[in-house]
Amino acid sequence: MILLADLTIRASVIVLAGLAGTLLLRRRSAALRHAVLAGSMFAAALTAPLSLILPPWDLLDSEWLAPMPPPPPTPSTAVGSSPEAISEAPLPRHAPLPATGAQLLVGVWAAGVLVGMARLLGGVHRLRRISHGAETDDDGRWTRLALEIATASRLRHRVVICHTDAPDLLGTFGLWPPRVLLPMQARLWNDDRMRVVLLHEMAHIRRHDWIVQLCTDALRSVCWFNPLFRVACARLRRHSEQACDDAVLRAGIQPRAYAAHLLDLARVCRRHDLASAVTTPMARPSTLERRVFAMLDSTLDRTPLSARALLTTLALLVLATLPIAALGAGQSAPLPLTGSVYDATGGVLPAVELVVEDASQQKWQVSTDASGRFTFPQLAPGRYVLEASMPGFRPLRDDFTLRSARDWDRAITLQVGTIRESIAVRSERATAPSAPSRAQGPQALRVGGNIRVPKKLLDVRPIYPPSMREAGREGVVPIDAVIGRDGAVHAVRVLSANIHPDFAVAAAEAVRQWRFNPTLLNGEPVDVTMTVTITFSLTN
């Protein structure tokens, strides 16, 4: 429901910008205004897929804008809250609607969409049945005149002229091939009226007005609750008719003669029915008065839409649509933060402790269930720190930002922890024989999940370097190494530069000879990091 409202707001902004653009261009041609409004309608329809494809652009990332504060702490979000407190805690003030209310609203919206689409598809089916049952004018006066007009206007489409049995049906229908549907009395019209009607309808075909109007009517059916889309579709029809009127006048028809023909046709084609929603009727009474005034105004711009104007319009729409589709700041309401925790092999990890902290250091703590899932209470958009820990695995600390709805579902992978071992190598002063020392065994690693800790199979004791013993020097050698899947020690690395090379070589040579049984994670051998601290000291 939140996503639907979010997309509706974004689409409404684009449509509103298109309507405002037509007002600013009211002294320009109707063809340009139609292109701007039609482009804004199609851009509004693209906001949904673009918002899923484009990377989110969040105003929260701007340095000059502080992040949105999280919701105030409640008993359900404090560390150490009991399950009873969680179940009885009130929802935040900005919590989403309950599931039943959201489902009801979605059901009402879906019912409205079905009604609108059924009406639209029913009209298409009815017009298709009428056009297929009509008598085509294969080689009559209408066809010859249509061919002449199409040749003069460089129209490459084959236009089918259909004489229907309907007394009030006059308009264009279909795409391949386009059809001009004429009323039954059209056979009696004189040549002047025939030319006026065909000039107007051929302009609709050349401009692809039928498919544009059909698509925008479908978008209006999806957004039936939004009055902006109804207004935009009505304006789109009016600009379409005025653009075709301008095409008739540019062909040499006198404005007064054209207005007289249009008034006569409006008396005949007065009825509005289901079919009018899916045709481009020439004489719609609701727009007739405004069209007559426009065609009699000699000061209006009647130029057709140029390629340059079309490209400019498309570029401006793209520049306006992409930021709106990608914008994610403040669009998401507080939602529960959910996800799963896995190990490196893809197995789920139960009983993982997770803590989320906000910028004000308020914390929320949960544990994963038997399936590795976790659910935090509702968190508002903003920046957070997530910490996850489990015995046997490396602790995780992750800074993240909640922006769009998909950020509230997270997947976390914990890596196998490191083995730490400390060894003390002791030796007497130079004159006394060195006393043997036993290397400490590896410290016990707390195992969680499905880890089998490696055990040392071969232990080689470091030898105190004679040169260092004679010089009376002592040292501590920190070493980082990797126990491979075969149990051998690889990538031995001394971590400190403040160690005498003799100490470093002695410690590294001993560690390289150690052998372990393989470390198993969910039954599979894996590499594991080992940290060893070897202390060389002298006794008196």
Side-chain angles (χ1 to χ4, degrees), residues 6 61-62 74 81 93 96 103 117 119 132 149 186 230 300 321 323 349 506 537:
D6 173 60
D61 290 336
S62 300
T74 64
S81 298
R93 185 176 63 177
Q103 291 173 357
M117 287 297 186
R119 181 178 180 273
H132 282 284
I149 294 174
R230 292 181 175 272
L300 291 183
T321 303
L349 292 177
S537 62

Side-chain angles (χ1 to χ4, degrees), residues 293-337:
F293 280 132
M295 67 181 63
L296 295 178
D297 187 353
S298 59
T299 63
L300 291 183
D301 182 7
R302 306 187 191 280
T303 57
L305 182 65
S306 63
R308 180 179 179 181
L310 179 60
L311 292 177
T312 303
T313 301
L314 292 177
L316 292 175
L317 287 171
V318 169
L319 292 177
T321 303
L322 292 181
I324 293 176
L327 181 63
Q331 298 296 332
S332 297
L335 294 172
L337 179 64

Side-chain angles (χ1 to χ4, degrees), residues 436-475:
S437 64
R438 296 190 308 171
Q440 283 187 336
Q443 297 180 355
L445 181 67
R446 291 184 300 165
V447 180
N450 300 307
I451 296 178
R452 193 184 77 177
V453 183
K455 294 182 179 180
K456 186 182 290 186
L457 303 178
L458 176 61
D459 185 17
V460 176
R461 178 170 50 91
I463 299 175
Y464 208 108
S467 59
M468 296 294 100
R469 183 172 57 86
E470 293 174 359
R473 292 190 176 184
E474 299 178 335

Side-chain angles (χ1 to χ4, degrees), residues 255-482:
R256 293 185 178 277
Y258 182 37
H261 285 296
L262 200 59
L263 291 172
D264 290 340
L265 291 172
R267 297 189 186 97
V268 176
C269 305
R270 179 182 298 274
R271 176 182 161 197
H272 285 273
D273 57 5
L274 187 63
S276 65
V278 289
T279 58
T280 53
M282 176 178 177
R284 187 186 295 272
S286 60
T287 62
L288 188 60
E289 181 179 0
R290 189 183 296 269
R291 290 170 59 190
V292 169
F293 280 132
M295 67 181 63
L296 295 178
D297 187 353
S298 59
T299 63
L300 291 183
D301 182 7
R302 306 187 191 280
T303 57
L305 182 65
S306 63
R308 180 179 179 181
L310 179 60
L311 292 177
T312 303
T313 301
L314 292 177
L316 292 175
L317 287 171
V318 169
L319 292 177
T321 303
L322 292 181
I324 293 176
L327 181 63
Q331 298 296 332
S332 297
L335 294 172
L337 179 64
T338 61
S340 299
V341 181
Y342 305 91
D343 59 26
T345 65
V348 297
L349 292 177
V352 178
E353 297 293 333
L354 297 106
V355 178
V356 165
E357 182 179 350
D358 61 20
S360 63
Q361 297 184 347
Q362 174 65 39
K363 294 183 178 181
W364 298 263
Q365 180 174 339
V366 297
S367 299
T368 55
D369 57 18
S371 62
R373 293 286 298 176
F374 65 86
T375 301
F376 283 94
Q378 293 180 358
L379 301 179
R383 293 189 178 94
Y384 295 88
V385 176
L386 173 66
E387 295 181 355
S389 61
M390 184 180 183
F393 291 87
R394 294 182 187 176
L396 173 71
R397 180 180 175 88
D398 179 34
D399 296 333
F400 66 97
T401 302
L402 297 178
R403 301 185 186 95
S404 58
R406 57 180 174 267
D407 293 334
W408 272 261
D409 186 24
R410 310 190 73 81
I412 299 172
T413 301
L414 296 183
Q415 302 296 330
V416 178
T418 61
I419 298 175
R420 296 185 180 273
E421 182 167 354
S422 297
I423 299 176
V425 181
R426 296 181 181 274
S427 178
E428 293 185 358
R429 298 292 175 176
T431 57
S434 59
S437 64
R438 296 190 308 171
Q440 283 187 336
Q443 297 180 355
L445 181 67
R446 291 184 300 165
V447 180
N450 300 307
I451 296 178
R452 193 184 77 177
V453 183
K455 294 182 179 180
K456 186 182 290 186
L457 303 178
L458 176 61
D459 185 17
V460 176
R461 178 170 50 91
I463 299 175
Y464 208 108
S467 59
M468 296 294 100
R469 183 172 57 86
E470 293 174 359
R473 292 190 176 184
E474 299 178 335
V476 178
V477 183
I479 291 179
D480 189 15
V482 175

Side-chain angles (χ1 to χ4, degrees), residues 179-253:
R179 299 172 182 268
V180 177
L181 305 180
L182 300 174
M184 60 176 62
Q185 63 270 28
R187 295 182 177 88
L188 304 178
W189 291 349
N190 57 33
D191 292 345
D192 291 340
R193 179 160 300 178
M194 289 171 54
R195 179 174 293 276
V196 166
V197 169
L198 285 178
L199 284 172
H200 185 94
E201 299 303 329
M202 300 289 257
H204 276 306
I205 295 172
R206 187 169 57 252
R207 291 165 38 84
H208 307 289
D209 284 337
W210 180 80
I211 189 63
V212 171
Q213 195 66 51
L214 185 66
C215 293
T216 53
D217 282 340
L219 181 60
R220 183 192 62 178
S221 298
V222 174
C223 301
W224 57 268
F225 54 88
N226 193 332
L228 281 177
F229 289 86
R230 292 181 175 272
V231 173
C233 285
R235 295 278 181 89
L236 202 64
R237 289 192 184 95
R238 191 180 76 193
H239 295 325
S240 171
E241 295 301 326
Q242 289 184 2
C244 292
D245 291 341
D246 292 341
V248 174
L249 298 178
R250 288 197 306 270
I253 304 298

